Amino acid sequence: MGFARTCSVALVGVEGVVVEVQADLEPGVAAFTLVGLPDKSLTESRDRVRAAVVNAGAEWPQKKLTVGLSPASVPKSGSGFDLAVAAAVLGAAERVDPRAIADLVLIGELGLDGRVRPVRGILPAVLAAADAGYRQVVVPEQTAGEAALVPGVSVLGVRSLRQLIAVLTDEPVPEEEPTEAGRPDAMLAGLLVPGAGLGTGLAAGPGDPAEGPDLADVAGQHRARRALEVAAAGSHHLLLSGPPGAGKTMLAERLPGILPPLTRQESLEVTAVHSVAGILPPGEPLVRRAPYCAPHHSATMQSLVGGGNGLPRPGAVSLAHRGILFLDEAPEFSGKALDALRQPLESGHVVIARAAGVVRLPARFLLALAANPCPCGRHTLHGAGCECPTALVRRYQARLSAPLLDRVDLRVEVEPVTRADLLGQGGRGESSAAVAARVHEARARAAARLADTPWRVNSEIPGHELRTRYLAAPGALADAERDIERGLLTARGLDRVLRVAWTVADLAGHERPDGQDIALALELRTGIARGVPVGAGDRP
């Protein structure tokens, strides 16, 4: 009787669970049994592994073979267990030393010819292995760079099962024929999921912000530009409302260009989500820029928050983690889908319960909404001929529910562009680089102030801390207190005004918010003019 064990990783959402793969050989009729709650694609690994082992030059054991995946209570799916199953079988047959594979974590799909094909979710799988104490992992060669992002783990990238056998038995490692130049590499097909969002507004933005659209292309819109700057500096949610053609979408598309690059920890979080979702570009293992997700208004609730057969997969809110989720024509989204955003806007994650299990997915994003004032879009234009009945306009605007809007910090009315601005008579606006520099300085001030706290930006500070620890200047809250008495502000609204005020103060270089900072924060939230300059550089 032969027995061997090794390890692989099962993904549950974007988190990994280390699975022990055990192989047992007993005398009897040749058979291959796979147990441990496998799905259909994992059950089919019996045929893939058998063909791969034979074509790799090893002898398939003609005995009763049982492969167990432990813990058996965890659902296991996908083809990433193939390599571990093959190694366990070879260890039980004593083709390789069972002790050499006992502490290895192996992840990869096997082709019938013995080649090791890449799979999705390598980064979160290796992170889970590292957290469990494993220090040696074997992955497909194409994803070795992604696995190497995890510190303290030794990564071995292999192209075929023959190479792995040679490494484990101290034999000369055979060379595999590389893909001919100019031909598509079919091995990369396992990294991308058709329809997962690549190239449809759900992929990460360009690595260099200079490659994206420039804020200097926007004519006029000084108030909206200022709101964009405040949103980027404090990660505040933003609503742009106005008639068609005013530049709402144009402004939102330039928001990623003024966001600072992701930190190392944020990059790992975003890369893990994109790897599981199958939209991580080959050859770019680490996402360094904030992602920008812009789903169509026909998107369902499941596509926004996550879903799918079996265990849920990441939705748009998770793909926008540490980045921007832009909902153009927001009132055209279903009310059910929009209200599903309320939980992740507050908590920074989404918990999805299904019959197959409960999954917690990260979802800390900056929400940008764009909306027309009415179905025809001409309601706020004088003499434009809007024929929408008042009741219809009211119903259209009510599609953005009050609880959702209460979580939006900045609400800006985007006015139609004037002829002077459109023809460039007012001068070219500031570039994205200039605005991004101020955003970076403001975030640095906030980071220094929040250094000993679990928060990173002003939008994450709890209301209790804002009212007791991070106080505004004496008398600065007089306008906000009057708005609460008039019913213009809720308790949550006051907290959000204070967060925006701290961001405005950071942009202006103030030690703490004064009366004008609070007034500008109130104006950006309520839309009621307070007589405060909003253009960059208007204040000393």
Side-chain angles (χ1 to χ4, degrees):
M1 183 181 70
F3 176 83
R5 64 181 179 86
T6 187
C7 294
S8 190
V9 179
L11 290 178
V12 182
V14 294
E15 299 177 355
V17 178
V18 176
V19 173
E20 187 176 79
V21 181
Q22 305 169 345
D24 177 69
L25 283 174
E26 296 179 352
V29 179
F32 187 172
T33 305
L34 182 64
V35 297
L37 211 58
D39 71 344
K40 180 66 174 176
S41 61
L42 184 50
T43 302
E44 293 174 348
S45 69
R46 294 178 299 183
D47 300 317
R48 291 194 300 269
V49 170
R50 182 186 292 109
V53 169
V54 172
N55 289 325
E59 183 179 352
W60 183 259
Q62 297 300 318
K63 295 182 180 181
K64 181 181 179 181
L65 171 62
T66 303
V67 174
L69 308 176
S70 179
S73 59
V74 176
K76 302 163 191 73
S77 61
S79 55
F81 292 88
D82 289 3
L83 195 59
V85 171
V89 171
L90 292 172
E94 298 184 353
R95 176 64 177 85
V96 300
D97 187 355
R99 293 172 298 179
I101 61 174
D103 295 325
L104 275 183
V105 174
L106 301 103
I107 307 165
E109 176 185 336
L110 284 175
L112 299 183
D113 56 356
R115 291 184 300 170
V116 180
R117 302 176 65 93
V119 295
R120 295 177 290 110
I122 289 293
L123 178 59
V126 177
L127 284 170
D131 292 340
Y134 293 89
R135 293 293 174 261
Q136 291 181 313
V137 297
V138 179
V139 298
E141 187 180 62
Q142 293 88 341
T143 58
E146 183 181 344
L149 297 175
V150 182
V153 176
S154 175
V155 178
L156 172 63
V158 295
R159 290 187 64 88
S160 67
L161 184 59
R162 290 195 308 155
Q163 289 185 341
L164 177 61
I165 295 173
V167 171
L168 295 176
T169 56
D170 292 329
E171 298 174 0
V173 179
E175 291 292 335
E176 297 292 339
E177 296 182 4
T179 303
E180 296 180 11
R183 291 187 60 187
D185 189 356
M187 300 283 284
L188 299 178
L191 296 178
L192 303 177
V193 177
L198 188 65
T200 61
L202 291 180
D208 185 359
E211 298 176 4
D214 199 324
L215 200 57
D217 299 334
V218 179
Q221 304 297 358
H222 303 292
R223 187 178 303 274
R225 290 169 60 98
R226 180 61 168 171
L228 237 65
E229 183 176 341
V230 174
S235 193
H236 301 288
H237 307 307
L238 172 68
L239 169 63
L240 300 171
S241 58
K248 302 184 295 295
T249 304
M250 190 177 186
L251 285 162
E253 289 175 345
R254 281 148 181 79
L255 188 53
I258 62 176
L259 288 178
L262 299 176
T263 64
R264 176 73 178 186
Q265 180 60 35
E266 291 171 344
S267 293
L268 290 176
E269 294 175 7
V270 174
T271 302
V273 175
H274 286 204
S275 178
V276 170
I279 63 172
L280 196 64
E284 297 288 341
L286 187 64
V287 179
R288 293 183 173 85
R289 297 295 306 173
Y292 174 78
C293 302
H296 191 259
H297 62 257
S298 62
T300 62
M301 183 186 71
Q302 289 77 12
S303 67
L304 286 180
V305 300
N309 296 327
L311 289 174
R313 292 182 55 191
V317 296
S318 297
L319 298 179
H321 181 60
R322 300 297 180 187
I324 300 163
L325 177 64
F326 175 49
L327 303 185
D328 201 1
E329 304 293 347
E332 299 296 337
F333 283 78
S334 71
K336 188 177 180 181
L338 289 174
D339 286 336
L341 300 177
R342 287 152 56 177
Q343 177 194 356
L345 285 177
E346 284 291 319
S347 61
H349 63 267
V350 58
V351 179
I352 307 173
R354 294 290 186 269
V358 179
V359 173
R360 183 180 186 272
L361 300 171
R364 188 169 296 281
F365 55 89
L366 192 164
L367 177 64
L369 302 170
N372 292 329
C374 68
C376 76
R378 300 190 297 269
H379 180 67
T380 56
L381 298 178
H382 298 290
C386 176
E387 298 180 355
C388 299
T390 304
L392 179 60
V393 174
R394 190 182 301 114
R395 285 197 304 270
Y396 186 80
Q397 295 177 351
R399 292 182 182 179
L400 299 178
S401 64
L404 176 63
L405 290 180
D406 201 30
R407 291 166 167 81
V408 177
D409 302 343
L410 311 173
R411 308 173 192 174
V412 181
E413 186 72 27
V414 181
E415 301 292 341
V417 182
T418 65
R419 182 179 63 179
D421 289 331
L422 195 59
L423 297 179
Q425 297 176 9
R428 186 174 172 86
E430 280 188 303
S431 66
S432 294
V435 178
R438 288 199 300 271
V439 169
H440 180 76
E441 293 177 1
R443 288 223 179 182
R445 294 189 185 99
R449 183 173 62 252
L450 304 173
D452 298 327
T453 69
W455 315 299
R456 303 180 183 181
V457 291
N458 292 324
S459 62
E460 298 177 1
I461 306 176
H464 174 73
E465 297 289 334
L466 290 168
R467 295 188 295 271
T468 59
R469 182 175 177 182
Y470 302 103
L471 300 176
L477 291 175
D479 290 344
E481 292 170 355
R482 283 194 294 269
D483 282 0
I484 290 179
E485 294 176 355
R486 296 170 182 170
L488 298 176
L489 271 184
T490 63
R492 180 191 286 120
L494 176 62
D495 292 343
R496 293 188 175 274
V497 166
L498 291 174
R499 293 168 183 164
V500 174
W502 271 105
T503 301
V504 174
D506 288 335
L507 286 168
H510 298 164
E511 290 295 329
R512 55 179 176 171
D514 57 19
Q516 282 193 310
D517 295 329
I518 298 290
L520 180 55
L522 284 169
E523 181 174 336
L524 290 174
R525 178 171 178 83
T526 63
I528 301 174
R530 311 278 173 162
V532 182
V534 297
D538 288 341
R539 298 186 57 191

